[in-house]
Amino acid sequence: MIWESPGELFVRHRNNPILTVDYWPYKVSSVFNPAAVMVGNETVLLVRVEDHRGFSHLTVARSKNGIDNWEIDPKPTFTSDPTYHAEEIYGIEDPRITYIDEMGKWAIAYTAYSDSGPLTSLAYTEDFDNFERVGPIMPPENKDAAIFPIRFNGRWAILNRPVSNIADAKANIWISFSPDMKYWGEHKVLLYARKGGWWDARKIGLAPPPMQTSDGWLIMYYGVRQTTSKRSYRLGLALLDLEDPTKVLHRSEGWIFGPREMYERTGDVNDVVFPCGWILVGNELRIYYGSADMSVAMASAKMSDVMQYIRECPGEQCLE
C-alpha cells in the first residue's frame, strides 16, 4: 500500500512574523519560542527573549486578537536569578504554561541553563507580574517539559525530555509523576524517537503543553532530521489516553508542519519551527512558534480537521 501524505495541516498567518525585535520596547537580539495562553479575552504570550550576551529571559506580550497591536512589557517580565538560583546562571528559556484549576495558578515549566547544562524548573504565577519559583524539578540534561492540568490517581504528571551523553543514544519524550509537583518519579518513556530515515528519528521533544480533548490528550511534538548539511525541526502529533496518559493511542507518521518560508529557514538557527504554546479559539487551533530562533509567528488549523487527522493515524508508535 502506498502511503499518501496529508500535507501541512496548519496555515501560516499572512502577517507572519507577528513579533520581531523591531516591536520590542528595549534592545534585544532575538525573540522566539513563546508560551501562549488565554487570560479572559486576551492572548498572552510569554516570549523567550535573547539579549546581546546570548542569555535569555521571558517577557509578556498581550493582544486582544492574538495577531497584532501587541502590548509588550516595557522591561523583562521574568528574569534569571543566579544569586539565589545558581541553576539559572546562563538564563531561562522555552516556557510552557498550564493552568492548574485546583490551585488557581498558572504553572510554568521552563528551561534553566546551568553550569551543568539545561534542566527543567518550575514557577507559579497568578497574574504574569509576580512569580513564585519552585526551583529545579529535573536534573540536567532535561528540557521541553510541560505539566498536565489535572491529577491522575492523585498524582500530577509532566512530560519532559532527558538526554544522554552516550553516543547514538536517542532523545525520547518521557512522562513522570509527582504527589506535590516538586518531587518527581515513576519515570517512563512515552514517545520514542524513530530510527533510520524518518523525519523524527533520533531526537524528539514536546512542543506545546498537552491539550485535553474528548478523544484524549492531544500532543504536538517536534522531530529533528539530521542530514549531511543541516538539521530541520518539524512537527507531528500524538494522542494519549484520557485516563492513563502513559498510553499512546495514535501517532502521526509524517510531519504536519515544517520550515518553508524564509523567516523560518534563515536565522540564528536555520530551518526551525518551534511552538511552546497553542490556544483554541472556537474551532481554530492556533500555534505560536519561534521561527529560526529569531522571531515569533502564528499558524492555525481547524480543530475538527486536526482531530480527524490524528484519529486516522496508526496506533503503533514506530512503524518499520
Side-chain angles (χ1 to χ4, degrees):
M1 182 177 178
I2 298 176
W3 181 74
E4 294 185 9
S5 172
E8 290 194 330
L9 292 184
F10 287 80
V11 177
R12 294 163 177 81
H13 196 274
R14 63 182 179 277
N15 293 339
N16 275 351
I18 59 172
L19 283 172
T20 69
V21 295
D22 295 331
Y23 291 86
W24 237 246
Y26 55 95
K27 294 181 179 180
V28 298
S29 175
S30 54
V31 297
F32 54 112
N33 297 6
V37 294
M38 291 294 295
V39 180
N41 294 321
E42 205 171 45
T43 298
V44 174
L45 302 184
L46 190 57
V47 183
R48 176 179 170 182
V49 180
E50 187 174 292
D51 63 27
H52 286 86
R53 299 173 300 172
F55 298 175
S56 292
H57 59 266
L58 309 177
T59 297
V60 166
R62 298 174 172 87
S63 169
K64 297 295 184 183
N65 62 11
I67 304 299
D68 54 21
N69 297 318
W70 294 95
E71 296 180 3
I72 302 169
D73 283 359
K75 58 183 181 180
T77 307
F78 186 39
T79 62
S80 61
D81 184 13
T83 300
Y84 297 100
H85 292 270
E87 73 278 0
E88 298 178 355
I89 188 171
Y90 297 128
I92 55 178
E93 308 173 351
D94 300 350
R96 277 88 169 175
I97 303 173
T98 303
Y99 185 71
I100 310 297
D101 189 65
E102 178 181 324
M103 302 172 65
K105 298 178 181 180
W106 302 92
I108 306 170
Y110 62 96
T111 299
Y113 217 105
S114 75
D115 260 338
S116 300
L119 54 87
T120 296
S121 284
L122 182 65
Y124 300 124
T125 187
E126 298 180 32
D127 53 15
F128 292 97
D129 289 320
N130 303 287
F131 300 86
E132 172 193 352
R133 280 176 168 86
V134 175
I137 57 174
M138 297 285 177
E141 182 167 330
N142 189 294
K143 59 196 313 187
D144 301 329
I147 290 176
F148 285 81
I150 63 172
R151 296 179 189 254
F152 301 93
N153 296 321
R155 304 166 303 160
W156 300 105
I158 190 171
L159 301 180
N160 59 102
R161 209 284 306 281
V163 176
S164 170
N165 290 323
I166 298 175
D168 297 325
K170 294 196 298 182
N172 303 311
I173 297 175
W174 290 59
I175 188 168
S176 307
F177 293 91
S178 171
D180 57 6
M181 286 203 198
K182 185 173 182 180
Y183 300 103
W184 296 85
E186 299 180 65
H187 311 290
K188 178 182 179 180
V189 177
L190 178 71
L191 285 177
Y192 290 86
R194 288 187 254 237
K195 300 178 181 179
W198 288 87
W199 69 274
D200 54 357
R202 294 288 307 280
K203 180 181 178 181
I204 61 174
L206 183 70
M211 178 176 290
Q212 188 172 11
T213 75
S214 58
D215 291 327
W217 294 97
L218 184 64
I219 301 295
M220 176 175 278
Y221 70 96
Y222 68 84
V224 183
R225 178 172 179 140
Q226 178 74 56
T227 65
T228 54
S229 61
K230 66 177 183 179
R231 293 181 301 171
S232 292
Y233 282 67
R234 300 186 176 101
L235 305 176
L237 297 170
L239 192 68
L240 312 180
D241 186 83
L242 272 179
E243 302 297 326
D244 182 0
T246 67
K247 294 181 179 178
V248 180
L249 303 179
H250 300 281
R251 179 176 176 179
S252 55
E253 293 178 84
W255 53 272
I256 50 88
F257 192 74
R260 186 185 70 193
E261 303 299 324
M262 285 303 297
Y263 58 84
E264 300 162 345
R265 307 208 68 173
T266 303
D268 282 351
V269 183
N270 296 341
D271 290 301
V272 172
V273 292
F274 198 97
C276 290
W278 53 6
I279 61 174
L280 187 59
V281 182
N283 189 40
E284 181 188 15
L285 181 59
R286 297 177 176 180
I287 57 171
Y288 291 88
Y289 63 97
S291 43
D293 280 16
M294 286 291 291
S295 60
V296 174
M298 191 275 280
S300 63
K302 291 181 180 179
M303 186 64 173
S304 53
D305 291 344
V306 171
M307 294 309 299
Q308 180 179 347
Y309 165 79
I310 192 62
R311 283 193 296 263
E312 295 173 354
C313 288
E316 297 89 345
Q317 275 225 44
C318 299
L319 301 174
E320 298 295 348

